Amino acid sequence: MKIILIGFMGSGKSAVGRPLAQALGLALIESDELVLRKSNRSSINEIFKKDGEARFRELEIAAAKTLRHTANAVIATGGGAVMNQIILSYLKNEPKTVIIYLAAAFATLRRRLRGDQKRPLWADTRQARILYQLREPLYRHYADITVNRDKT
Ligand code: S3P
């Protein structure tokens, strides 16, 4: 079985992915880690700063492509995975794939990510809110299951 976790920055994709993968006896694969490995950079921030967001997205697509035949895993995507249709089609390639949307209000995410320095697209809260509004319907569109994470 393949479980794909989608959701905005701070929704808990890695935090939920870890125990979920462990409980199901599956590997946890983090898209950002694969991207980092492909990049020769030391952080996501550095990729954005030195290579630009477009390069990050290319690497994100390439990372998803390597996972298209992965049949048994929990995959924690980056928050922007829903912006490129090709990413979800690679990830959904296998039958028995379930996409779980970890949903939370923007105010919840802002509380969780207060002081975060690791996410380039979180640096400007106003821009982040616009991105959130843009992506929210996409997360819902792709999700097989939506789990509300406001109370955690
Ligand atoms: C991004 C989210 C990040 C990371 C990159 C871009 C986004 O992952 O992939 O900074 O576009 O929302 P998390 O959702 O794990 O923070």
mmCIF file of all heavy atoms in Angstrom, residues 6-48:
data_model
loop_
_atom_site.group_PDB
_atom_site.id
_atom_site.type_symbol
_atom_site.label_atom_id
_atom_site.label_comp_id
_atom_site.label_asym_id
_atom_site.label_seq_id
_atom_site.Cartn_x
_atom_site.Cartn_y
_atom_site.Cartn_z
ATOM 1 N N ILE A 6 -0.488 14.865 1.790
ATOM 2 C CA ILE A 6 -0.410 16.199 1.193
ATOM 3 C C ILE A 6 -0.943 17.224 2.191
ATOM 4 O O ILE A 6 -1.699 16.879 3.106
ATOM 5 C CB ILE A 6 -1.186 16.301 -0.157
ATOM 6 C CG1 ILE A 6 -2.681 16.014 0.025
ATOM 7 C CG2 ILE A 6 -0.588 15.382 -1.198
ATOM 8 C CD1 ILE A 6 -3.523 16.294 -1.231
ATOM 9 N N GLY A 7 -0.543 18.456 2.010
ATOM 10 C CA GLY A 7 -1.032 19.522 2.892
ATOM 11 C C GLY A 7 -0.043 20.668 2.897
ATOM 12 O O GLY A 7 1.098 20.529 2.435
ATOM 13 N N PHE A 8 -0.509 21.792 3.436
ATOM 14 C CA PHE A 8 0.313 22.997 3.434
ATOM 15 C C PHE A 8 1.497 22.828 4.392
ATOM 16 O O PHE A 8 1.515 21.927 5.239
ATOM 17 C CB PHE A 8 -0.552 24.198 3.842
ATOM 18 C CG PHE A 8 -0.029 25.516 3.344
ATOM 19 C CD1 PHE A 8 -0.065 25.837 1.995
ATOM 20 C CD2 PHE A 8 0.509 26.455 4.223
ATOM 21 C CE1 PHE A 8 0.425 27.046 1.524
ATOM 22 C CE2 PHE A 8 0.999 27.670 3.771
ATOM 23 C CZ PHE A 8 0.956 27.972 2.419
ATOM 24 N N MET A 9 2.464 23.749 4.281
ATOM 25 C CA MET A 9 3.593 23.770 5.230
ATOM 26 C C MET A 9 3.034 23.830 6.658
ATOM 27 O O MET A 9 2.118 24.604 6.918
ATOM 28 C CB MET A 9 4.445 25.028 4.991
ATOM 29 C CG MET A 9 5.150 25.051 3.653
ATOM 30 S SD MET A 9 5.972 26.657 3.357
ATOM 31 C CE MET A 9 4.675 27.574 2.518
ATOM 32 N N GLY A 10 3.580 22.999 7.526
ATOM 33 C CA GLY A 10 3.154 23.024 8.926
ATOM 34 C C GLY A 10 1.950 22.143 9.226
ATOM 35 O O GLY A 10 1.500 22.071 10.371
ATOM 36 N N SER A 11 1.433 21.448 8.212
ATOM 37 C CA SER A 11 0.242 20.617 8.474
ATOM 38 C C SER A 11 0.605 19.312 9.164
ATOM 39 O O SER A 11 -0.270 18.593 9.649
ATOM 40 C CB SER A 11 -0.507 20.341 7.167
ATOM 41 O OG SER A 11 0.340 19.673 6.256
ATOM 42 N N GLY A 12 1.906 18.974 9.206
ATOM 43 C CA GLY A 12 2.337 17.792 9.954
ATOM 44 C C GLY A 12 2.580 16.568 9.099
ATOM 45 O O GLY A 12 2.473 15.443 9.581
ATOM 46 N N LYS A 13 2.938 16.767 7.843
ATOM 47 C CA LYS A 13 3.128 15.627 6.951
ATOM 48 C C LYS A 13 4.235 14.692 7.464
ATOM 49 O O LYS A 13 4.064 13.484 7.471
ATOM 50 C CB LYS A 13 3.438 16.110 5.522
ATOM 51 C CG LYS A 13 2.291 16.954 4.936
ATOM 52 C CD LYS A 13 2.598 17.467 3.542
ATOM 53 C CE LYS A 13 3.731 18.457 3.454
ATOM 54 N NZ LYS A 13 3.452 19.804 4.000
ATOM 55 N N SER A 14 5.349 15.272 7.920
ATOM 56 C CA SER A 14 6.424 14.421 8.451
ATOM 57 C C SER A 14 6.048 13.892 9.832
ATOM 58 O O SER A 14 6.271 12.715 10.135
ATOM 59 C CB SER A 14 7.733 15.200 8.569
ATOM 60 O OG SER A 14 8.037 15.769 7.332
ATOM 61 N N ALA A 15 5.473 14.741 10.646
ATOM 62 C CA ALA A 15 5.120 14.343 12.022
ATOM 63 C C ALA A 15 4.086 13.213 12.032
ATOM 64 O O ALA A 15 4.157 12.305 12.864
ATOM 65 C CB ALA A 15 4.589 15.554 12.789
ATOM 66 N N VAL A 16 3.148 13.240 11.103
ATOM 67 C CA VAL A 16 2.146 12.170 11.005
ATOM 68 C C VAL A 16 2.740 10.976 10.265
ATOM 69 O O VAL A 16 2.486 9.821 10.613
ATOM 70 C CB VAL A 16 0.877 12.683 10.256
ATOM 71 C CG1 VAL A 16 -0.048 11.547 9.878
ATOM 72 C CG2 VAL A 16 0.151 13.727 11.093
ATOM 73 N N GLY A 17 3.560 11.277 9.268
ATOM 74 C CA GLY A 17 4.121 10.224 8.424
ATOM 75 C C GLY A 17 4.961 9.225 9.202
ATOM 76 O O GLY A 17 4.878 8.022 8.959
ATOM 77 N N ARG A 18 5.748 9.747 10.142
ATOM 78 C CA ARG A 18 6.663 8.876 10.893
ATOM 79 C C ARG A 18 5.915 7.766 11.646
ATOM 80 O O ARG A 18 6.141 6.591 11.387
ATOM 81 C CB ARG A 18 7.524 9.709 11.839
ATOM 82 C CG ARG A 18 9.007 9.513 11.622
ATOM 83 C CD ARG A 18 9.857 10.544 12.353
ATOM 84 N NE ARG A 18 9.981 11.784 11.599
ATOM 85 C CZ ARG A 18 9.625 12.982 12.046
ATOM 86 N NH1 ARG A 18 9.106 13.132 13.248
ATOM 87 N NH2 ARG A 18 9.777 14.046 11.294
ATOM 88 N N PRO A 19 4.994 8.118 12.569
ATOM 89 C CA PRO A 19 4.282 7.057 13.293
ATOM 90 C C PRO A 19 3.379 6.218 12.393
ATOM 91 O O PRO A 19 3.202 5.015 12.623
ATOM 92 C CB PRO A 19 3.469 7.806 14.347
ATOM 93 C CG PRO A 19 3.425 9.225 13.911
ATOM 94 C CD PRO A 19 4.662 9.451 13.084
ATOM 95 N N LEU A 20 2.832 6.848 11.367
ATOM 96 C CA LEU A 20 1.955 6.103 10.453
ATOM 97 C C LEU A 20 2.746 5.014 9.733
ATOM 98 O O LEU A 20 2.325 3.850 9.673
ATOM 99 C CB LEU A 20 1.335 7.085 9.442
ATOM 100 C CG LEU A 20 0.318 6.527 8.467
ATOM 101 C CD1 LEU A 20 -0.910 5.993 9.205
ATOM 102 C CD2 LEU A 20 -0.119 7.596 7.458
ATOM 103 N N ALA A 21 3.910 5.396 9.219
ATOM 104 C CA ALA A 21 4.754 4.431 8.505
ATOM 105 C C ALA A 21 5.166 3.304 9.460
ATOM 106 O O ALA A 21 5.123 2.122 9.105
ATOM 107 C CB ALA A 21 5.990 5.130 7.945
ATOM 108 N N GLN A 22 5.514 3.703 10.674
ATOM 109 C CA GLN A 22 5.954 2.701 11.649
ATOM 110 C C GLN A 22 4.817 1.725 11.979
ATOM 111 O O GLN A 22 5.002 0.516 11.983
ATOM 112 C CB GLN A 22 6.426 3.406 12.909
ATOM 113 C CG GLN A 22 7.335 2.540 13.743
ATOM 114 C CD GLN A 22 7.991 3.342 14.854
ATOM 115 O OE1 GLN A 22 7.494 4.400 15.246
ATOM 116 N NE2 GLN A 22 9.096 2.857 15.365
ATOM 117 N N ALA A 23 3.631 2.286 12.192
ATOM 118 C CA ALA A 23 2.485 1.438 12.554
ATOM 119 C C ALA A 23 2.137 0.456 11.434
ATOM 120 O O ALA A 23 1.697 -0.660 11.695
ATOM 121 C CB ALA A 23 1.277 2.321 12.877
ATOM 122 N N LEU A 24 2.353 0.884 10.195
ATOM 123 C CA LEU A 24 1.979 0.024 9.061
ATOM 124 C C LEU A 24 3.141 -0.822 8.558
ATOM 125 O O LEU A 24 2.986 -1.605 7.625
ATOM 126 C CB LEU A 24 1.454 0.894 7.908
ATOM 127 C CG LEU A 24 0.176 1.687 8.200
ATOM 128 C CD1 LEU A 24 -0.138 2.637 7.048
ATOM 129 C CD2 LEU A 24 -1.004 0.749 8.432
ATOM 130 N N GLY A 25 4.317 -0.631 9.181
ATOM 131 C CA GLY A 25 5.497 -1.378 8.738
ATOM 132 C C GLY A 25 5.953 -0.945 7.351
ATOM 133 O O GLY A 25 6.452 -1.753 6.567
ATOM 134 N N LEU A 26 5.773 0.325 7.032
ATOM 135 C CA LEU A 26 6.178 0.841 5.720
ATOM 136 C C LEU A 26 7.314 1.836 5.896
ATOM 137 O O LEU A 26 7.483 2.415 6.965
ATOM 138 C CB LEU A 26 4.999 1.567 5.053
ATOM 139 C CG LEU A 26 3.764 0.725 4.717
ATOM 140 C CD1 LEU A 26 2.617 1.618 4.251
ATOM 141 C CD2 LEU A 26 4.095 -0.300 3.634
ATOM 142 N N ALA A 27 8.066 2.054 4.833
ATOM 143 C CA ALA A 27 9.122 3.074 4.874
ATOM 144 C C ALA A 27 8.481 4.449 4.744
ATOM 145 O O ALA A 27 7.458 4.605 4.064
ATOM 146 C CB ALA A 27 10.081 2.851 3.714
ATOM 147 N N LEU A 28 9.084 5.435 5.408
ATOM 148 C CA LEU A 28 8.658 6.822 5.211
ATOM 149 C C LEU A 28 9.626 7.466 4.231
ATOM 150 O O LEU A 28 10.844 7.464 4.455
ATOM 151 C CB LEU A 28 8.665 7.598 6.526
ATOM 152 C CG LEU A 28 8.407 9.101 6.377
ATOM 153 C CD1 LEU A 28 6.979 9.374 5.920
ATOM 154 C CD2 LEU A 28 8.699 9.846 7.678
ATOM 155 N N ILE A 29 9.088 8.011 3.161
ATOM 156 C CA ILE A 29 9.932 8.713 2.182
ATOM 157 C C ILE A 29 9.517 10.178 2.164
ATOM 158 O O ILE A 29 8.342 10.496 1.983
ATOM 159 C CB ILE A 29 9.765 8.099 0.774
ATOM 160 C CG1 ILE A 29 10.160 6.622 0.793
ATOM 161 C CG2 ILE A 29 10.604 8.865 -0.251
ATOM 162 C CD1 ILE A 29 9.834 5.857 -0.476
ATOM 163 N N GLU A 30 10.503 11.054 2.383
ATOM 164 C CA GLU A 30 10.199 12.484 2.394
ATOM 165 C C GLU A 30 10.680 13.111 1.092
ATOM 166 O O GLU A 30 11.880 13.055 0.785
ATOM 167 C CB GLU A 30 10.908 13.147 3.576
ATOM 168 C CG GLU A 30 10.558 12.467 4.887
ATOM 169 C CD GLU A 30 10.302 13.446 6.001
ATOM 170 O OE1 GLU A 30 9.867 14.584 5.717
ATOM 171 O OE2 GLU A 30 10.519 13.064 7.152
ATOM 172 N N SER A 31 9.764 13.695 0.371
ATOM 173 C CA SER A 31 10.097 14.295 -0.925
ATOM 174 C C SER A 31 11.228 15.321 -0.797
ATOM 175 O O SER A 31 12.163 15.324 -1.602
ATOM 176 C CB SER A 31 8.844 14.953 -1.512
ATOM 177 O OG SER A 31 9.183 15.810 -2.551
ATOM 178 N N ASP A 32 11.158 16.165 0.237
ATOM 179 C CA ASP A 32 12.195 17.199 0.392
ATOM 180 C C ASP A 32 13.597 16.587 0.562
ATOM 181 O O ASP A 32 14.581 17.176 0.124
ATOM 182 C CB ASP A 32 11.882 18.094 1.599
ATOM 183 C CG ASP A 32 10.905 19.203 1.240
ATOM 184 O OD1 ASP A 32 10.468 19.267 0.072
ATOM 185 O OD2 ASP A 32 10.566 20.007 2.129
ATOM 186 N N GLU A 33 13.661 15.422 1.197
ATOM 187 C CA GLU A 33 14.976 14.778 1.365
ATOM 188 C C GLU A 33 15.517 14.307 0.020
ATOM 189 O O GLU A 33 16.714 14.429 -0.254
ATOM 190 C CB GLU A 33 14.871 13.590 2.320
ATOM 191 C CG GLU A 33 14.977 14.023 3.769
ATOM 192 C CD GLU A 33 14.857 12.861 4.732
ATOM 193 O OE1 GLU A 33 15.065 11.698 4.319
ATOM 194 O OE2 GLU A 33 14.530 13.141 5.899
ATOM 195 N N LEU A 34 14.626 13.761 -0.800
ATOM 196 C CA LEU A 34 15.062 13.313 -2.135
ATOM 197 C C LEU A 34 15.525 14.505 -2.964
ATOM 198 O O LEU A 34 16.536 14.445 -3.659
ATOM 199 C CB LEU A 34 13.911 12.604 -2.866
ATOM 200 C CG LEU A 34 13.368 11.319 -2.251
ATOM 201 C CD1 LEU A 34 12.319 10.706 -3.178
ATOM 202 C CD2 LEU A 34 14.475 10.312 -2.011
ATOM 203 N N VAL A 35 14.780 15.604 -2.868
ATOM 204 C CA VAL A 35 15.132 16.816 -3.605
ATOM 205 C C VAL A 35 16.511 17.303 -3.172
ATOM 206 O O VAL A 35 17.370 17.611 -4.001
ATOM 207 C CB VAL A 35 14.076 17.926 -3.356
ATOM 208 C CG1 VAL A 35 14.570 19.278 -3.862
ATOM 209 C CG2 VAL A 35 12.756 17.565 -4.028
ATOM 210 N N LEU A 36 16.715 17.323 -1.877
ATOM 211 C CA LEU A 36 17.988 17.786 -1.321
ATOM 212 C C LEU A 36 19.145 16.938 -1.836
ATOM 213 O O LEU A 36 20.192 17.447 -2.234
ATOM 214 C CB LEU A 36 17.901 17.735 0.202
ATOM 215 C CG LEU A 36 18.669 18.776 0.992
ATOM 216 C CD1 LEU A 36 18.459 20.182 0.478
ATOM 217 C CD2 LEU A 36 18.266 18.693 2.468
ATOM 218 N N ARG A 37 18.936 15.621 -1.846
ATOM 219 C CA ARG A 37 19.985 14.718 -2.322
ATOM 220 C C ARG A 37 20.326 14.978 -3.786
ATOM 221 O O ARG A 37 21.468 14.894 -4.195
ATOM 222 C CB ARG A 37 19.536 13.260 -2.159
ATOM 223 C CG ARG A 37 20.233 12.608 -0.973
ATOM 224 C CD ARG A 37 19.835 11.173 -0.850
ATOM 225 N NE ARG A 37 18.837 10.999 0.198
ATOM 226 C CZ ARG A 37 17.980 10.000 0.263
ATOM 227 N NH1 ARG A 37 17.958 9.079 -0.682
ATOM 228 N NH2 ARG A 37 17.135 9.908 1.262
ATOM 229 N N LYS A 38 19.313 15.298 -4.575
ATOM 230 C CA LYS A 38 19.542 15.550 -6.003
ATOM 231 C C LYS A 38 20.180 16.914 -6.262
ATOM 232 O O LYS A 38 20.652 17.178 -7.353
ATOM 233 C CB LYS A 38 18.212 15.528 -6.762
ATOM 234 C CG LYS A 38 17.636 14.140 -6.954
ATOM 235 C CD LYS A 38 16.312 14.220 -7.700
ATOM 236 C CE LYS A 38 15.723 12.839 -7.903
ATOM 237 N NZ LYS A 38 16.481 12.018 -8.860
ATOM 238 N N SER A 39 20.138 17.782 -5.269
ATOM 239 C CA SER A 39 20.480 19.191 -5.517
ATOM 240 C C SER A 39 21.950 19.555 -5.330
ATOM 241 O O SER A 39 22.382 20.588 -5.800
ATOM 242 C CB SER A 39 19.660 20.076 -4.582
ATOM 243 O OG SER A 39 20.154 19.964 -3.257
ATOM 244 N N ASN A 40 22.681 18.768 -4.553
ATOM 245 C CA ASN A 40 24.047 19.143 -4.151
ATOM 246 C C ASN A 40 24.069 20.405 -3.300
ATOM 247 O O ASN A 40 25.063 21.118 -3.258
ATOM 248 C CB ASN A 40 24.975 19.345 -5.354
ATOM 249 C CG ASN A 40 25.204 18.061 -6.106
ATOM 250 O OD1 ASN A 40 25.341 17.003 -5.485
ATOM 251 N ND2 ASN A 40 25.210 18.128 -7.413
ATOM 252 N N ARG A 41 22.971 20.737 -2.681
ATOM 253 C CA ARG A 41 22.916 21.878 -1.763
ATOM 254 C C ARG A 41 22.691 21.325 -0.364
ATOM 255 O O ARG A 41 22.344 20.162 -0.187
ATOM 256 C CB ARG A 41 21.776 22.827 -2.132
ATOM 257 C CG ARG A 41 21.875 23.410 -3.534
ATOM 258 C CD ARG A 41 22.978 24.417 -3.627
ATOM 259 N NE ARG A 41 22.997 25.081 -4.924
ATOM 260 C CZ ARG A 41 24.029 25.751 -5.382
ATOM 261 N NH1 ARG A 41 25.143 25.828 -4.683
ATOM 262 N NH2 ARG A 41 23.979 26.352 -6.549
ATOM 263 N N SER A 42 22.866 22.208 0.632
ATOM 264 C CA SER A 42 22.750 21.674 1.992
ATOM 265 C C SER A 42 21.397 21.954 2.636
ATOM 266 O O SER A 42 21.105 21.432 3.704
ATOM 267 C CB SER A 42 23.874 22.235 2.870
ATOM 268 O OG SER A 42 23.797 23.635 2.853
ATOM 269 N N SER A 43 20.568 22.769 2.013
ATOM 270 C CA SER A 43 19.237 23.015 2.568
ATOM 271 C C SER A 43 18.276 23.464 1.466
ATOM 272 O O SER A 43 18.710 23.904 0.391
ATOM 273 C CB SER A 43 19.298 24.108 3.641
ATOM 274 O OG SER A 43 19.582 25.359 3.027
ATOM 275 N N ILE A 44 16.994 23.349 1.761
ATOM 276 C CA ILE A 44 15.970 23.795 0.809
ATOM 277 C C ILE A 44 16.123 25.312 0.602
ATOM 278 O O ILE A 44 16.014 25.819 -0.515
ATOM 279 C CB ILE A 44 14.555 23.465 1.343
ATOM 280 C CG1 ILE A 44 14.395 21.950 1.571
ATOM 281 C CG2 ILE A 44 13.473 24.010 0.408
ATOM 282 C CD1 ILE A 44 14.328 21.105 0.343
ATOM 283 N N ASN A 45 16.406 26.022 1.683
ATOM 284 C CA ASN A 45 16.631 27.468 1.587
ATOM 285 C C ASN A 45 17.712 27.794 0.579
ATOM 286 O O ASN A 45 17.580 28.721 -0.213
ATOM 287 C CB ASN A 45 17.082 28.004 2.958
ATOM 288 C CG ASN A 45 15.930 28.666 3.689
ATOM 289 O OD1 ASN A 45 15.016 29.204 3.061
ATOM 290 N ND2 ASN A 45 15.974 28.634 5.008
ATOM 291 N N GLU A 46 18.793 27.020 0.646
ATOM 292 C CA GLU A 46 19.922 27.279 -0.243
ATOM 293 C C GLU A 46 19.544 27.013 -1.710
ATOM 294 O O GLU A 46 19.966 27.751 -2.603
ATOM 295 C CB GLU A 46 21.126 26.418 0.173
ATOM 296 C CG GLU A 46 22.423 26.954 -0.383
ATOM 297 C CD GLU A 46 23.616 26.000 -0.222
ATOM 298 O OE1 GLU A 46 23.439 24.886 0.307
ATOM 299 O OE2 GLU A 46 24.699 26.373 -0.651
ATOM 300 N N ILE A 47 18.737 25.983 -1.944
ATOM 301 C CA ILE A 47 18.291 25.713 -3.325
ATOM 302 C C ILE A 47 17.503 26.925 -3.846
ATOM 303 O O ILE A 47 17.739 27.412 -4.945
ATOM 304 C CB ILE A 47 17.399 24.450 -3.410
ATOM 305 C CG1 ILE A 47 18.124 23.216 -2.874
ATOM 306 C CG2 ILE A 47 16.945 24.222 -4.856
ATOM 307 C CD1 ILE A 47 17.264 21.960 -2.828
ATOM 308 N N PHE A 48 16.571 27.400 -3.023
ATOM 309 C CA PHE A 48 15.751 28.546 -3.445
ATOM 310 C C PHE A 48 16.638 29.767 -3.705
ATOM 311 O O PHE A 48 16.452 30.482 -4.682
ATOM 312 C CB PHE A 48 14.702 28.887 -2.380
ATOM 313 C CG PHE A 48 13.391 28.158 -2.568
ATOM 314 C CD1 PHE A 48 13.310 26.792 -2.369
ATOM 315 C CD2 PHE A 48 12.247 28.837 -2.933
ATOM 316 C CE1 PHE A 48 12.106 26.105 -2.531
ATOM 317 C CE2 PHE A 48 11.035 28.170 -3.106
ATOM 318 C CZ PHE A 48 10.964 26.808 -2.897
#
